[in-house]
Amino acid sequence: MTTLKQLAVESLTHMAEGGLQRLAVDDDARSILREWMLSARRGGDAPPPVQPAVAPDMSVEEKLEYLRSKAANWKPAKRLGTLRDSMVFAAGNPHARLMLVGEAPGYEEERQREPFVGPAGQLLTRILGAMGLQRSDVYISNVCKFRPYMGENQGTANRPPNPEELAACLPLIKAEIRAIQPACIVCLGSSAARGLLDTQQGVNALRGQWLECQGVPVRVTYHPSYLLRNDARSARRALWEDMLAVMQHLGMPISEKQQNYFR
Ligand code: URA
């Protein structure tokens, strides 16, 4: 649940990244901010999440490089002790109009240090191809930057990140969104949607509509790994309809053949 305090910290960080250095506040706001500060000093309630603040005059590439270096040793995630050590950041085009956000790296992603390169990633690459896009046309990232830990004998097994793991990594993906400013985001699966949209709802309740994260339109669809488990034509068509909505939003040409895939 987003608290007022978290929202305030996120908005102030956003303004600071936009170049704001001073902010006039009225007496009420000043006394609330003062109370939060004193409460934190007294060891009161949990402090709001740390935000990686990039300088406003950096290029997008510089901002992402800065965020990548912050992420590698991201204390809120490391502190949990439930995520593996290797950090997997993002791949693709920093100037992309389309950003795809998944859950967390799996075995193959951790090995190659790149998101979506395992079996689900190969399917994602094929879906992009059907849209007329290559991986290098889009920006691909995850809400959680570390593969969730499952014990000494984890092998190739993966698990979804839990709510604490998602919350710890969330400031990083939100800062990536602010740096890239895509025309739209696709959340692949419920972990991405829960993180970016601050909701408990699942994919079935969220898909088929435009939602919003930090002012950017968001579409939620199935995670490609769901389609690997359930390759019913109806599931493939449902994901494809979400992608058609994205193509339309981006003003991409849609052929009759594309319109009819998986019908
Ligand atoms: N699943 C995800 O959600 N992300 C990856 O990077 C790989 C698989």
Side-chain angles (χ1 to χ4, degrees):
M1 176 70 79
T2 303
T3 64
L4 177 63
K5 197 184 279 189
Q6 280 170 326
L7 276 175
V9 171
E10 281 188 24
S11 311
L12 289 169
T13 306
H14 198 173
M15 286 190 256
E17 287 177 5
L20 187 89
Q21 291 182 341
R22 297 175 75 88
L23 179 70
V25 291
D26 65 16
D27 288 346
D28 286 346
R30 187 175 299 113
S31 75
I32 290 169
L33 289 169
R34 192 176 153 68
E35 177 45 41
W36 286 353
M37 192 185 73
L38 292 174
S39 149
R41 276 200 196 146
R42 287 193 302 266
D45 55 359
V50 187
Q51 302 289 319
V54 294
D57 56 352
M58 287 176 170
S59 67
V60 180
E61 286 81 359
E62 286 169 337
K63 285 179 183 173
L64 292 177
E65 214 29 65
Y66 172 82
L67 292 173
R68 183 190 288 272
S69 70
K70 279 274 169 205
N73 193 24
W74 186 241
K75 296 278 183 314
K78 298 275 174 195
R79 222 179 270 137
L80 295 174
T82 58
L83 294 166
R84 293 168 61 95
D85 283 339
S86 304
M87 191 277 295
V88 179
F89 192 64
N93 185 345
H95 300 280
R97 298 180 65 226
L98 173 58
M99 177 165 178
L100 298 134
V101 180
E103 180 174 271
Y107 169 79
E108 198 54 39
E109 287 74 23
E110 183 185 60
R111 206 176 66 79
Q112 297 190 39
R113 298 286 180 96
E114 183 171 334
F116 282 102
V117 288
Q122 285 157 20
L123 176 55
L124 179 63
T125 305
R126 293 214 304 278
I127 294 166
L128 290 171
M131 297 168 77
L133 295 170
Q134 300 192 339
R135 280 172 73 93
S136 55
D137 294 322
V138 301
Y139 183 86
I140 306 177
S141 196
N142 280 311
V143 267
C144 180
K145 302 292 183 217
F146 304 86
R147 184 174 165 220
Y149 181 68
M150 295 177 74
E152 292 285 301
N153 302 319
Q154 178 161 4
T156 57
N158 300 311
R159 69 165 171 86
N162 64 34
E164 289 73 36
E165 292 161 349
L166 275 185
C169 288
L170 205 53
L172 295 166
I173 185 73
K174 287 197 168 178
E176 285 170 82
I177 294 170
R178 294 196 294 274
I180 299 208
Q181 296 181 13
C184 72
I185 298 171
V186 174
C187 284
L188 298 165
S190 58
S191 294
R194 290 193 176 131
L196 294 192
L197 301 169
D198 190 20
T199 176
Q200 294 305 312
Q201 291 186 303
V203 174
N204 285 330
L206 295 169
R207 53 177 296 277
Q209 58 191 312
W210 285 104
L211 300 154
E212 198 198 290
C213 174
Q214 301 185 123
V216 180
V218 174
R219 203 86 188 180
V220 175
T221 194
Y222 296 116
H223 193 286
S225 63
Y226 172 75
L227 287 201
L228 292 177
R229 293 190 304 270
N230 167 14
D231 73 345
R233 207 172 175 79
S234 58
R236 284 192 266 167
R237 177 67 197 176
L239 181 142
W240 183 245
E241 279 174 6
D242 297 329
M243 293 312 192
L244 286 174
V246 167
M247 290 171 75
Q248 197 172 15
H249 178 83
L250 294 173
M252 292 170 62
I254 303 178
S255 67
E256 204 174 319
K257 189 172 165 203
Q258 282 173 315
Q259 205 57 266
N260 290 321
Y261 280 159
F262 310 116
R263 268 215 211 275

